[in-house]
């Protein structure tokens, strides 16, 4: 990849969720295309590398094709870590209930980003059918939903009885 630098692998993702194409006609070469790119990850180093590599590639393509490129950053938020004690407690609850789970980083913001600096915070994700999430086709089985609820209930019972 263009601009690749040796660095530790971090789990980051990019989503192009907005595409504006003008004139947006099937058989017409666009005069302008606007992409909204969302970068998410668990470390600023990873996000900085991904932003750098993405912009380097875009600039290179535009330069070769003599296309104007306009860049603007709408926002930048530092990744937020979840509370390790809550993570451990949730994993222990899942283990006691024999619910398969794994501790995983998430680039998701949700309300957890606002709560984490103020209160110990954790998140539970349940599996989506075929791994599809944040999409109109997103679906989860009733069993996965119940497992998530049972895990939280088990954790809360342990947490508040101690």
């Amino acid at each position: 990849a263009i601009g690749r630098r040796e660095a530790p692998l971090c789990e980051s993702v990019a989503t192009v969720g907005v595409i504006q194409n003008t004139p947006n006609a099937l058989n017409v070469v666009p005069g302008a295309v606007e992409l909204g790119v969302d970068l998410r990850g668990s470390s600023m180093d990873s996000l900085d590398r991904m932003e750098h590599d993405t912009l380097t590639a875009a600039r290179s393509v535009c330069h070769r094709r003599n296309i104007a490129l306009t860049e603007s950053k709408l926002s930048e938020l530092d990744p937020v870590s979840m509370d390790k004690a809550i993570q451990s407690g949730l994993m222990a609850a899942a283990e006691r209930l024999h619910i398969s789970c794994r501790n995983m980083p998430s680039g998701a913001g949700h309300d957890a980003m606002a709560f984490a600096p103020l209160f110990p915070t954790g998140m539970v994700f349940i599996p989506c059918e075929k791994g599809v999430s944040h999409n109109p086709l997103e679906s989860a089985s009733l069993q996965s939903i119940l497992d998530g609820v049972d895990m939280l209930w088990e954790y809360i019972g342990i947490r508040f009885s101690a």
Side-chain angles (χ1 to χ4, degrees):
I2 298 171
R4 171 121 348 227
R5 292 173 278 162
E6 292 301 318
L9 176 65
C10 293
E11 294 191 23
S12 296
V13 296
T15 303
V16 177
V18 175
I19 301 175
Q20 302 294 331
N21 185 20
T22 306
N24 202 29
L26 183 63
N27 61 346
V28 178
V29 175
V33 176
E34 180 181 336
L35 302 176
V37 182
D38 180 38
L39 307 178
R40 295 189 183 202
S42 56
S43 83
M44 279 308 294
D45 287 344
S46 173
L47 291 170
D48 288 344
R49 280 194 317 274
M50 193 163 56
E51 178 182 359
H52 174 269
D53 291 352
T54 300
L55 288 172
T56 299
R59 290 172 186 144
S60 176
V61 168
C62 289
H63 178 75
R64 281 194 320 270
R65 296 177 181 254
N66 196 29
I67 298 171
L69 175 66
T70 303
E71 308 163 20
S72 64
K73 186 181 284 193
L74 301 179
S75 69
E76 180 175 78
L77 300 170
D78 289 346
V80 174
S81 295
M82 297 293 99
D83 184 83
K84 299 231 182 284
I86 290 178
Q87 290 175 329
S88 296
L90 289 167
M91 295 293 285
E95 189 174 308
R96 278 191 300 282
L97 295 171
H98 306 288
I99 296 172
S100 174
C101 71
R102 63 184 171 123
N103 196 340
M104 57 188 262
S106 169
H110 302 280
D111 295 334
M113 285 185 80
F115 290 137
L118 305 171
F119 310 102
T121 304
M123 292 192 295
V124 173
F125 292 94
I126 62 171
C128 294
E129 301 289 337
K130 299 180 183 173
V132 176
S133 74
H134 294 79
N135 179 295
L137 299 176
E138 179 176 352
S139 178
S141 72
L142 180 57
Q143 187 59 57
S144 290
I145 295 167
L146 292 173
D147 284 348
V149 170
D150 284 346
M151 190 173 114
L152 286 170
W153 187 253
E154 175 75 9
Y155 172 72
I156 290 169
I158 294 160
R159 180 77 173 167
F160 292 114
S161 65

